[in-house]
Amino acid sequence: CQNNSYTIEGNFTENTFDGKTVYLQKIDSMTAESSTIIDSVEIKGGKFEFKGKTDETPSMAFISVGKLEMRVEEAPVATFIIEPGKIKISIDKRNVTTGGTPKNEEFNNVLLAMNKMGTLYEEVNKAGGVQAVPLDANGVDAMGRMQKLQEELQKNSFEFAKNNMANKAGEFMF
């Protein structure tokens, strides 16, 4: 008998969204025009939890404050893998990290690269352009850092897709 139960333990690092509804959703394919809502709960003390069963191989899921297509402004969307086990999701203003299950640990490498890219884009916007961003500690300018981060993101995304081609999560990433 196989246990297909999952628990998703999530937290927001700020209590900005307390009292709002967080939705667990999935998109069945890249051509889907909307998401399928699996469940919803109220955020309390910056935390939320979902429990359920999945009858399929690992697939991509999303958590958003408000429905995905009508999410609350300034609220990040957390992308993760729905699979059996205890899934942990941490969300701050700009960054999302996942863990707790094998595929989410692996997918977190993609998220970390995306988080770094987002931080650099924000730095460039605040500075007023690429040329205004100072060199980093290694003497690399913003363009060089951006190129390195894009390569890291491509490598991590490719590795995840390659390792997961037999499931919906890998297909989605591909």
Side-chain angles (χ1 to χ4, degrees), residues 149-161:
L149 289 174
Q150 286 173 336
E151 289 168 4
E152 179 183 348
L153 180 58
Q154 285 176 331
K155 176 184 166 267
N156 291 348
S157 297
F158 176 78
E159 283 298 314
F160 183 84

PDB file of all heavy atoms in Angstrom, residues 149-161:
ATOM      1  N   LEU A 149      24.303  34.725 -13.469  1.00  0.00           N
ATOM      2  CA  LEU A 149      23.066  34.248 -12.861  1.00  0.00           C
ATOM      3  C   LEU A 149      22.152  33.586 -13.888  1.00  0.00           C
ATOM      4  O   LEU A 149      21.501  32.578 -13.596  1.00  0.00           O
ATOM      5  CB  LEU A 149      22.331  35.392 -12.161  1.00  0.00           C
ATOM      6  CG  LEU A 149      22.980  35.895 -10.876  1.00  0.00           C
ATOM      7  CD1 LEU A 149      22.254  37.125 -10.355  1.00  0.00           C
ATOM      8  CD2 LEU A 149      23.017  34.794  -9.825  1.00  0.00           C
ATOM      9  N   GLN A 150      22.104  34.134 -15.108  1.00  0.00           N
ATOM     10  CA  GLN A 150      21.300  33.515 -16.164  1.00  0.00           C
ATOM     11  C   GLN A 150      21.833  32.123 -16.499  1.00  0.00           C
ATOM     12  O   GLN A 150      21.061  31.184 -16.705  1.00  0.00           O
ATOM     13  CB  GLN A 150      21.270  34.401 -17.404  1.00  0.00           C
ATOM     14  CG  GLN A 150      20.394  35.609 -17.234  1.00  0.00           C
ATOM     15  CD  GLN A 150      20.498  36.580 -18.398  1.00  0.00           C
ATOM     16  OE1 GLN A 150      21.484  36.622 -19.125  1.00  0.00           O
ATOM     17  NE2 GLN A 150      19.454  37.394 -18.567  1.00  0.00           N
ATOM     18  N   GLU A 151      23.142  31.979 -16.533  1.00  0.00           N
ATOM     19  CA  GLU A 151      23.751  30.676 -16.798  1.00  0.00           C
ATOM     20  C   GLU A 151      23.417  29.690 -15.674  1.00  0.00           C
ATOM     21  O   GLU A 151      23.104  28.524 -15.926  1.00  0.00           O
ATOM     22  CB  GLU A 151      25.260  30.810 -16.961  1.00  0.00           C
ATOM     23  CG  GLU A 151      25.665  31.504 -18.237  1.00  0.00           C
ATOM     24  CD  GLU A 151      27.135  31.897 -18.283  1.00  0.00           C
ATOM     25  OE1 GLU A 151      27.900  31.560 -17.333  1.00  0.00           O
ATOM     26  OE2 GLU A 151      27.537  32.537 -19.270  1.00  0.00           O
ATOM     27  N   GLU A 152      23.475  30.164 -14.427  1.00  0.00           N
ATOM     28  CA  GLU A 152      23.141  29.321 -13.279  1.00  0.00           C
ATOM     29  C   GLU A 152      21.676  28.876 -13.339  1.00  0.00           C
ATOM     30  O   GLU A 152      21.355  27.705 -13.124  1.00  0.00           O
ATOM     31  CB  GLU A 152      23.408  30.078 -11.977  1.00  0.00           C
ATOM     32  CG  GLU A 152      23.079  29.294 -10.723  1.00  0.00           C
ATOM     33  CD  GLU A 152      23.299  30.103  -9.447  1.00  0.00           C
ATOM     34  OE1 GLU A 152      23.923  31.185  -9.487  1.00  0.00           O
ATOM     35  OE2 GLU A 152      22.818  29.637  -8.401  1.00  0.00           O
ATOM     36  N   LEU A 153      20.785  29.813 -13.667  1.00  0.00           N
ATOM     37  CA  LEU A 153      19.362  29.501 -13.760  1.00  0.00           C
ATOM     38  C   LEU A 153      19.102  28.495 -14.883  1.00  0.00           C
ATOM     39  O   LEU A 153      18.357  27.528 -14.705  1.00  0.00           O
ATOM     40  CB  LEU A 153      18.544  30.776 -13.980  1.00  0.00           C
ATOM     41  CG  LEU A 153      17.033  30.602 -14.107  1.00  0.00           C
ATOM     42  CD1 LEU A 153      16.452  29.921 -12.878  1.00  0.00           C
ATOM     43  CD2 LEU A 153      16.374  31.951 -14.338  1.00  0.00           C
ATOM     44  N   GLN A 154      19.741  28.697 -16.038  1.00  0.00           N
ATOM     45  CA  GLN A 154      19.580  27.759 -17.154  1.00  0.00           C
ATOM     46  C   GLN A 154      20.077  26.367 -16.782  1.00  0.00           C
ATOM     47  O   GLN A 154      19.423  25.365 -17.058  1.00  0.00           O
ATOM     48  CB  GLN A 154      20.325  28.261 -18.391  1.00  0.00           C
ATOM     49  CG  GLN A 154      19.637  29.401 -19.085  1.00  0.00           C
ATOM     50  CD  GLN A 154      20.451  29.928 -20.260  1.00  0.00           C
ATOM     51  OE1 GLN A 154      21.676  29.847 -20.275  1.00  0.00           O
ATOM     52  NE2 GLN A 154      19.759  30.493 -21.230  1.00  0.00           N
ATOM     53  N   LYS A 155      21.240  26.316 -16.140  1.00  0.00           N
ATOM     54  CA  LYS A 155      21.825  25.022 -15.745  1.00  0.00           C
ATOM     55  C   LYS A 155      20.902  24.307 -14.756  1.00  0.00           C
ATOM     56  O   LYS A 155      20.603  23.124 -14.916  1.00  0.00           O
ATOM     57  CB  LYS A 155      23.199  25.239 -15.114  1.00  0.00           C
ATOM     58  CG  LYS A 155      23.852  23.984 -14.598  1.00  0.00           C
ATOM     59  CD  LYS A 155      25.183  24.310 -13.897  1.00  0.00           C
ATOM     60  CE  LYS A 155      25.677  23.147 -13.100  1.00  0.00           C
ATOM     61  NZ  LYS A 155      25.264  23.145 -11.713  1.00  0.00           N
ATOM     62  N   ASN A 156      20.441  25.013 -13.718  1.00  0.00           N
ATOM     63  CA  ASN A 156      19.583  24.396 -12.701  1.00  0.00           C
ATOM     64  C   ASN A 156      18.238  23.967 -13.295  1.00  0.00           C
ATOM     65  O   ASN A 156      17.722  22.899 -12.969  1.00  0.00           O
ATOM     66  CB  ASN A 156      19.366  25.348 -11.525  1.00  0.00           C
ATOM     67  CG  ASN A 156      20.633  25.562 -10.724  1.00  0.00           C
ATOM     68  OD1 ASN A 156      21.621  24.861 -10.890  1.00  0.00           O
ATOM     69  ND2 ASN A 156      20.616  26.545  -9.854  1.00  0.00           N
ATOM     70  N   SER A 157      17.671  24.796 -14.170  1.00  0.00           N
ATOM     71  CA  SER A 157      16.395  24.462 -14.814  1.00  0.00           C
ATOM     72  C   SER A 157      16.546  23.243 -15.713  1.00  0.00           C
ATOM     73  O   SER A 157      15.698  22.343 -15.707  1.00  0.00           O
ATOM     74  CB  SER A 157      15.876  25.648 -15.626  1.00  0.00           C
ATOM     75  OG  SER A 157      15.611  26.742 -14.791  1.00  0.00           O
ATOM     76  N   PHE A 158      17.639  23.209 -16.483  1.00  0.00           N
ATOM     77  CA  PHE A 158      17.892  22.072 -17.371  1.00  0.00           C
ATOM     78  C   PHE A 158      18.072  20.786 -16.569  1.00  0.00           C
ATOM     79  O   PHE A 158      17.496  19.755 -16.908  1.00  0.00           O
ATOM     80  CB  PHE A 158      19.139  22.331 -18.231  1.00  0.00           C
ATOM     81  CG  PHE A 158      19.510  21.159 -19.088  1.00  0.00           C
ATOM     82  CD1 PHE A 158      18.827  20.892 -20.261  1.00  0.00           C
ATOM     83  CD2 PHE A 158      20.540  20.304 -18.713  1.00  0.00           C
ATOM     84  CE1 PHE A 158      19.159  19.797 -21.047  1.00  0.00           C
ATOM     85  CE2 PHE A 158      20.880  19.209 -19.486  1.00  0.00           C
ATOM     86  CZ  PHE A 158      20.185  18.953 -20.662  1.00  0.00           C
ATOM     87  N   GLU A 159      18.855  20.852 -15.499  1.00  0.00           N
ATOM     88  CA  GLU A 159      19.092  19.663 -14.670  1.00  0.00           C
ATOM     89  C   GLU A 159      17.787  19.155 -14.068  1.00  0.00           C
ATOM     90  O   GLU A 159      17.538  17.953 -14.058  1.00  0.00           O
ATOM     91  CB  GLU A 159      20.096  19.966 -13.547  1.00  0.00           C
ATOM     92  CG  GLU A 159      21.530  20.023 -14.010  1.00  0.00           C
ATOM     93  CD  GLU A 159      22.020  18.703 -14.588  1.00  0.00           C
ATOM     94  OE1 GLU A 159      21.780  17.637 -13.990  1.00  0.00           O
ATOM     95  OE2 GLU A 159      22.633  18.734 -15.671  1.00  0.00           O
ATOM     96  N   PHE A 160      16.963  20.069 -13.571  1.00  0.00           N
ATOM     97  CA  PHE A 160      15.693  19.659 -12.991  1.00  0.00           C
ATOM     98  C   PHE A 160      14.807  19.011 -14.052  1.00  0.00           C
ATOM     99  O   PHE A 160      14.231  17.951 -13.821  1.00  0.00           O
ATOM    100  CB  PHE A 160      14.966  20.840 -12.340  1.00  0.00           C
ATOM    101  CG  PHE A 160      13.688  20.425 -11.679  1.00  0.00           C
ATOM    102  CD1 PHE A 160      13.698  19.916 -10.398  1.00  0.00           C
ATOM    103  CD2 PHE A 160      12.481  20.504 -12.362  1.00  0.00           C
ATOM    104  CE1 PHE A 160      12.521  19.483  -9.798  1.00  0.00           C
ATOM    105  CE2 PHE A 160      11.303  20.078 -11.767  1.00  0.00           C
ATOM    106  CZ  PHE A 160      11.321  19.571 -10.487  1.00  0.00           C
ATOM    107  N   ALA A 161      14.690  19.642 -15.210  1.00  0.00           N
ATOM    108  CA  ALA A 161      13.854  19.098 -16.281  1.00  0.00           C
ATOM    109  C   ALA A 161      14.366  17.728 -16.724  1.00  0.00           C
ATOM    110  O   ALA A 161      13.589  16.783 -16.891  1.00  0.00           O
ATOM    111  CB  ALA A 161      13.805  20.061 -17.460  1.00  0.00           C
TER     112      ALA A 161
END
